Amino acid sequence: MPQACVIGLGRSGIAAARVLHRDGWQVTVFDQADNDQLRHMGQPLVQEGISLKLGDRLDPIKEVWPERMVVSPGVPWDIPLLVAAREKGVEVTGELELAWQYLHAVPWVGITGTNGKTTTTSLVQAIFQKAGLNAPACGNIGYAACELVLQNQNYDWIVAEISSYQIESSPTLAPQIGLWTTFTPDHLSRHKTLENYFNIKASLLSRSAIQVLNGDDPHLHSHGPNLYPQAHWTSTQGANHLVGLCDPKQGVYLQDNWVNAFGELIAPINLFKMPGQHNQQNLLMAIAAARLAGIDKKAITETLLTFTGVPHRLEPICTINGVQFINDSKATNYDAAEVGLSSMKGPTILIAGGEAKEGDDQAWLAQIRQKAVAVLLIGDAAPNFATRLKAVGYENYEIVETMANAVQRGLELASKNNASAVLLSPACASFDQYNSFEERGEDFRACCLGLV
């Protein structure tokens, strides 16, 4: 029986293990962590005949190597074990690549980008489903891709949100339609340089049969036309902004309050309920994908009327004494947090902090000075963020350490400062205090509802 191992006991790792086991591989799942939660997650696999090794440090010195290794997205692609495995001729792929090997006959929409990809993916899926298509979302949201393999359905389309980590480990994944939402510095602790990060993202678009790019993003606007001369572009700034990128009749843009897609009026933008220019841009990209997939205007318009957003991205939680509490936990870098704060219509109490990332914080700090009447700092980044705020002349901040303290203090300060909202938009990863940005957002929700 051929040997395979899966690195990482998360949702994608479990699905990959089951796919391989179903097809006759002897599978071992490794995870460096060892706790009660992981043992509980792994117990069904053991009962199915899949081996489980928790707390294994994954020493690359091995006498017998498996024939293939499948890596979960959170595992760095260059750890010594994977480098040694590739040198030994082991087939090493990511979980998404494994799913692609089974599902490549189905057309995929592949959505990547530093920010905006979750909302765009959710919009694409909503439009496709409104059109009556079986088009599940997978990858970074929705299903693990290998779960779709296990379901064994007849899919019309697969809509995949694909991170740089997943692209890196999926060398043959080739969507029918590839979307690139934004590009700003992120994940540099893993990808080392901005150029390397860009090239990883660009490789997915290069393998896509049809490319759609955000013409309002400065980096893509500068570098995309040479890479993708046949690409379709989107813009919230009118047809003239597309000149030099593509023929406006081959793009999707806003003009005089209307969405124009490939030379055809689709719907007035004021039907769309989500706030912010960035969300209008996400919508244009989703409409481009839908029209390129042959979906009619009716399904698009119906989605505009009903789509209200995704969890943890500018998600309204509740209103207390006239103060709205908004969960933007998915804003895990400076650019996303700057966009979140800029979307606020009135004076705002900002909750920020967590596990800091590399990046340029200047636009974020400028937005804080403009919009935030107070900043409450949590997590490991709090002292550094306090120093950065003080350096730009912003003094109205407090280090409150925990989410519960931040929510309680946020309500107090909102009343004193006539703020209309308390916004969690951390500009940080969550792993100092939480297992994920979703867990952080749920804690914020629970703290808010506890005050109601």
Side-chain angles (χ1 to χ4, degrees):
M1 184 178 291
Q3 304 278 325
C5 74
V6 174
I7 313 297
L9 182 65
R11 184 171 182 175
S12 60
I14 289 170
R18 284 180 165 142
V19 167
L20 292 168
H21 181 68
R22 182 196 69 178
D23 285 357
W25 292 80
Q26 186 171 330
V27 181
T28 303
V29 181
F30 293 85
D31 200 296
Q32 293 189 16
D34 184 3
N35 53 52
D36 290 341
Q37 182 182 6
L38 286 176
R39 290 192 206 102
H40 179 73
M41 288 170 59
Q43 193 57 40
L45 296 181
V46 174
Q47 293 171 352
E48 294 165 25
I50 296 169
S51 299
L52 182 64
K53 290 191 176 182
L54 299 179
D56 193 298
R57 301 311 298 173
L58 302 174
D59 190 337
I61 302 172
K62 290 181 175 291
E63 294 181 4
V64 180
W65 286 86
E67 293 171 55
R68 72 183 308 175
M69 301 176 88
V70 177
V71 185
S72 298
V75 179
W77 192 235
D78 59 354
I79 60 172
L81 176 78
L82 300 184
V83 173
R86 289 192 286 269
E87 290 173 350
K88 292 288 185 180
V90 177
E91 181 187 358
V92 184
T93 65
E95 179 265 343
L96 203 68
E97 173 77 7
L98 177 63
W100 169 256
Q101 292 171 4
Y102 286 87
L103 298 172
H104 62 269
V106 181
W108 288 47
V109 180
I111 298 123
T112 196
T114 308
N115 298 309
K117 56 185 180 291
T118 296
T119 300
T120 303
T121 302
S122 299
L123 278 162
V124 171
Q125 183 198 25
I127 295 170
F128 279 41
Q129 291 188 335
K130 189 70 73 173
L133 299 175
N134 184 5
C138 71
N140 234 23
I141 65 169
Y143 293 101
C146 279
E147 290 177 334
L148 301 182
V149 178
L150 294 167
Q151 289 181 9
N152 198 30
Q153 295 183 24
N154 292 320
Y155 303 112
D156 298 305
W157 284 83
I158 290 171
V159 182
E161 178 188 329
I162 309 175
S163 71
S164 56
Y165 300 174
Q166 292 163 316
I167 297 170
E168 192 174 36
S169 59
S170 302
T172 71
L173 174 60
Q176 175 66 20
I177 303 171
L179 276 61
W180 194 342
T181 60
T182 55
F183 183 79
T184 53
D186 200 6
H187 305 304
L188 297 185
S189 60
R190 174 151 164 176
H191 298 313
K192 313 306 181 192
T193 68
L194 191 64
E195 181 182 18
N196 191 38
Y197 177 45
F198 181 87
N199 289 339
I200 290 168
K201 295 280 192 188
S203 68
L204 181 75
L205 273 289
S206 296
R207 294 193 301 272
S208 301
I210 302 170
Q211 297 103 10
V212 179
L213 290 92
N214 172 5
D216 296 339
D217 182 273
H219 203 95
L220 297 181
H221 190 281
S222 297
H223 295 84
N226 290 332
L227 288 172
Y228 314 111
Q230 303 303 315
H232 304 279
W233 291 81
T234 63
S235 178
T236 60
Q237 301 176 39
N240 288 340
H241 195 71
L242 295 181
V243 175
L245 298 173
C246 69
D247 181 339
K249 291 184 178 180
Q250 294 301 311
V252 181
Y253 58 90
L254 287 183
Q255 191 88 44
D256 300 327
N257 198 49
W258 276 78
V259 177
N260 191 306
F262 309 114
E264 183 181 15
L265 293 177
I266 301 297
I269 192 62
N270 56 14
L271 295 180
F272 189 46
K273 294 179 172 57
M274 294 186 70
Q277 187 176 5
H278 65 292
N279 279 321
Q280 293 179 351
Q281 177 57 249
N282 295 335
L283 174 67
L284 297 183
M285 299 205 80
I287 290 174
R291 294 300 280 158
L292 289 166
I295 291 174
D296 63 28
K297 293 195 297 184
K298 183 173 182 291
I300 295 171
T301 303
E302 289 178 355
T303 304
L304 261 68
L305 288 166
T306 56
F307 190 88
T308 56
V310 297
H312 312 295
R313 192 67 178 111
L314 292 172
E315 176 192 15
I317 300 299
C318 61
T319 300
I320 305 174
N321 299 334
V323 179
Q324 191 173 32
F325 285 76
I326 298 172
N327 170 22
D328 197 31
S329 182
K330 198 172 191 309
T332 59
N333 56 51
Y334 297 119
D335 298 285
E338 188 267 327
V339 166
L341 187 54
S342 70
S343 299
M344 296 295 101
K345 295 196 180 334
T348 300
I349 307 296
L350 174 65
I351 301 172
E355 183 181 88
K357 291 183 176 181
E358 296 181 42
D360 184 351
D361 62 1
Q362 291 301 311
W364 177 63
L365 292 169
Q367 194 64 237
I368 287 175
R369 295 177 68 184
Q370 181 179 338
K371 282 281 183 73
V373 293
V375 179
L376 301 172
L377 299 173
I378 63 173
D380 288 352
N384 181 53
F385 278 9
T387 301
R388 294 294 298 134
L389 289 167
K390 191 170 184 178
V392 298
Y394 188 95
E395 299 283 351
N396 200 16
Y397 61 83
E398 298 178 21
I399 296 177
V400 295
E401 297 183 350
T402 68
M403 189 69 74
N405 291 343
V407 170
Q408 177 67 52
R409 185 64 176 143
L411 182 60
E412 295 168 3
L413 289 176
S415 301
K416 291 179 181 178
N417 292 277
N418 293 318
S420 58
V422 174
L423 170 69
L424 169 67
S425 194
C428 284
S430 58
F431 303 118
D432 58 330
Q433 294 177 311
Y434 302 95
N435 291 316
S436 64
F437 73 82
E438 292 97 339
E439 185 178 298
R440 176 172 61 191
E442 291 304 325
D443 189 28
F444 176 75
R445 182 197 309 275
C447 292
C448 294
L449 296 179
L451 295 179
V452 174

